[in-house]
Amino acid sequence: MKTLKDCNKACKVKVIKLHASTDLKQRLISFGIMKESVIEVLEHAPAKSTIEVKVGKMRIALRAQEAELIEVKKI
Amino acid sequence: MSQMQEKSCPIIANHIKIALVGQPNVGKSMLINSVSNAHLHVGNFSGVTVDKTEVLFDYKDYHFTVVDLPGTYAFTDYTIEERVTHDYLCAESYDMIINVVDSTNLEKNLQLTSELMSMSKSMVIALNMSDEADKEGIDLNASYMSELLGIPCVKVSAVTKIGIEELLDAVVSVREKESQESKLIFSEPVEEEIAQIVWYLDKHRYEAKNSYRNIAINLLKNNKKTYAKLHDDPVWTELQPILIEALKHVELHHDSDDIKESFAEEYASFNRGIVAEVLKQETVDEKKTLTEKIDNILIHPFLGIPIFLFFMWALFQLTFEIGSIPMDWIDAFFGWFGDTVGATIPNDDVRSLVVDGIIAGVGAVILFVPNIIILFIGIALLESTGYMSRVAFLLDGFFHKFGMHGQSFIPLVTGFGCSIPAYMSARILKNDRDRLLTLFIIGFMSCGARLPVYVLFAGAFFSPEMAGNILFAIYIGGAMIGLIAAKVLKLTAFKGADEPFVMEMPKYRLPSVKLIWHTVLTKTMMYLKKAGTFIAAASMLIWFLSNYPQS
């Protein structure tokens, strides 16, 4: 299973499924991260602990451990 | 306040109470500032951590009360801000919602709008930042959008003050008209199920304030209140099997076992449709936006942290160097004031109480005001430009290891200067537990006032050539113990699942002087009020304890 955590910089992916718990899932959805949405990886923080992604026009930072719960496929 | 208002305008008593709702960073506070230019009263009534601001003003024949609710991405109760907004919208009484929307990012903003639409409240949409949208070549058809949504949509710009009157006119006309059902349309399977439930409710002539369609949607969304109401009604026995089937159908259609997720997808596709209809954007070439260019430098994997450290260093230099100038004046003033007042009091005990207790105590509070003002201006600048989110992004990896949040860095570093502004600046942390944990740790960061004591000890116990190293070790050691203490607290008192870190990185914006002034002013007043009473009382108590009993 490929997750958002595995993606490199400037990589564009499509979300297949959210494996997060209900609360976190709601949070991700409210930021526009849901099935079928397209995510672009913009930047990694030092040690890849945090990643910055772009969803639509919005830029979002999330931890690697949350990114791991987002199943994606490359497009 | 309301009594005074009634006195001044006894004839017109038309009140419109408006809840101002929007996602974070859409310029709600700016809008409220430009709407109520001749505002009568701006008061903060604070909750535990998040403030709602209420603004009163008159327009045409109406009294307006606008409640500025904290920004919220979705209609949930995930963060404190969201909970405040959610509870207010559900439980308080108000006439209308103004939903503030960022025109440059319509689709994302509509996610909240569509959720608000299913609340069956009167609503007006303010398409804010329309000037920026024009610049970006976004052509938004507001009147077509109003028609599609069944909600008046008005283009406004809080910065250039365009469309403010039109917005208020729209509010007045919505108030004067009968409210109409919003035109939220779902996918076919969901619409089918809604129709089925509506048909059933209609057949049994179920009595309700809300429309059947609204009840049906809320039932499908697993809205607890709607369930509780229907549960006590005889119709429930027959409705339940219909509902179970309906939910299964919807979940099957979305291939998900989470009805909330299914509805989020429903809303998203509705919004995509709306955006496709009303918005035309000139095809922009893949040019990098200004924000992206700035971010390339500021959150660079190697340069990011040094640049941030430089900003912090500059802020501290400003806070403590420039701040020390008025501090000297204030100190001198209170010294002089104490002497002058003291000279007029013949009784030794009373003089000591007034001079060493009250005046010295109040002076100690006032003394820090310049520091705090400068620091708050700095923090307000960092926050309103959007840089604070980048700080959290850069440092979260390190601080998360100790159970803290990336933004904990700012209060902790401030703690090396002075603990009082450090405790104050912990307000930037939005989460209760993160903030409390950070507050506990600040004490380990050695503040400037401890330096003389350290110097004394280092000089007394160690050789002169070692003293400098010892001093440094004390500082570093304190910080290390602080981080370890944070980890220990996280494992014991603050045990529990980690708060997820999912955060918007807003566009960089030039800060508004008015807004910064307002923030700094309210925060400084709060400091004076709260710290003034406590510190003044405590210093009187200390004065008493150190003077009595006299032997």
Side-chain angles (χ1 to χ4, degrees), chain B residues 207-226:
Chain B
E207 274 180 42
K209 266 191 286 177
N210 294 350
S211 70
Y212 290 159
R213 183 180 165 82
N214 188 268
I215 294 171
I217 294 171
N218 277 328
L219 282 175
L220 286 175
K221 280 178 74 181
N222 280 346
N223 183 304
K224 279 191 191 124
K225 270 191 193 145
T226 316

Side-chain angles (χ1 to χ4, degrees), chain A residues 2-43:
Chain A
K2 188 179 160 74
T3 69
L4 187 61
K5 191 191 170 194
D6 312 320
C7 298
N8 291 322
K9 196 176 160 177
C11 177
K12 256 192 179 175
V13 292
K14 193 180 235 177
V15 177
I16 296 178
K17 198 170 167 63
L18 302 176
H19 295 276
S21 63
T22 320
D23 275 358
L24 180 57
K25 201 189 262 180
Q26 280 295 303
R27 183 78 175 160
L28 293 170
I29 288 170
S30 68
F31 281 101
I33 301 179
M34 59 179 95
K35 244 187 275 175
E36 297 291 301
S37 44
V38 175
I39 301 182
E40 186 186 347
V41 177
L42 293 180
E43 192 68 82

Side-chain angles (χ1 to χ4, degrees), chain A residues 9 12 15-38 40 42-67 69-70, chain B residues 23 73-74 76 78-79 82 103-105 108 111 136 138 254-258 260-261 264-265 268 281 289 291-292 295-296 299-301 305 390 392-394 396-398 400 404-406 498-507:
Chain A
K9 196 176 160 177
K12 256 192 179 175
V15 177
I16 296 178
K17 198 170 167 63
L18 302 176
H19 295 276
S21 63
T22 320
D23 275 358
L24 180 57
K25 201 189 262 180
Q26 280 295 303
R27 183 78 175 160
L28 293 170
I29 288 170
S30 68
F31 281 101
I33 301 179
M34 59 179 95
K35 244 187 275 175
E36 297 291 301
S37 44
V38 175
E40 186 186 347
L42 293 180
E43 192 68 82
H44 288 99
K48 285 207 171 189
S49 55
T50 321
I51 64 174
E52 188 196 12
V53 297
K54 194 172 177 180
V55 183
K57 284 186 181 175
M58 192 174 171
R59 309 152 71 81
I60 300 158
L62 64 169
R63 281 194 189 125
Q65 61 201 83
E66 273 101 44
L69 301 170
I70 303 169
Chain B
Q23 295 195 337
Y73 289 105
T76 53
Y78 181 84
T79 62
E82 287 173 4
S103 306
T104 62
N105 199 351
K108 176 199 116 196
Q111 192 76 7
E136 289 181 24
I138 295 169
H254 281 278
D255 182 30
S256 159
D257 53 1
D258 187 338
K260 281 184 180 159
E261 189 179 8
E265 282 165 19
Q281 182 162 22
T289 61
T291 296
E292 276 165 13
D295 259 353
N296 273 347
I299 60 167
H300 188 276
I305 289 181
R390 273 76 186 178
F393 173 78
L394 284 171
D396 188 71
F398 177 75
H400 186 224
M404 282 183 289
H405 188 276
D498 262 343
E499 286 291 328
F501 177 90
V502 185
M503 185 185 67
E504 183 181 3
M505 306 268 264
K507 260 187 222 171

Side-chain angles (χ1 to χ4, degrees), chain B residues 303-359:
Chain B
L303 294 176
I305 289 181
I307 292 173
F308 167 67
L309 290 176
F310 170 75
F311 281 142
M312 287 316 289
W313 176 82
L315 180 59
F316 283 105
Q317 286 300 317
L318 282 175
T319 305
F320 294 105
E321 292 299 318
I322 297 185
S324 70
I325 302 169
M327 271 176 105
D328 289 343
W329 299 340
I330 293 170
D331 204 22
F333 170 78
F334 276 98
W336 167 83
F337 187 64
D339 289 346
T340 320
V341 172
T344 63
I345 302 173
N347 184 305
D348 270 352
D349 286 340
V350 177
R351 183 183 338 115
S352 176
L353 171 68
V354 172
V355 177
D356 303 327
I358 298 171
I359 293 178

Side-chain angles (χ1 to χ4, degrees), chain B residues 399-404 437 441 481-494 498:
Chain B
F399 280 94
H400 186 224
K401 287 200 178 79
F402 298 97
M404 282 183 289
L437 189 56
I441 306 311
I481 292 171
L483 288 178
I484 293 166
K487 186 73 188 170
V488 171
L489 279 173
K490 185 75 186 178
L491 291 175
T492 53
F494 290 88
D498 262 343

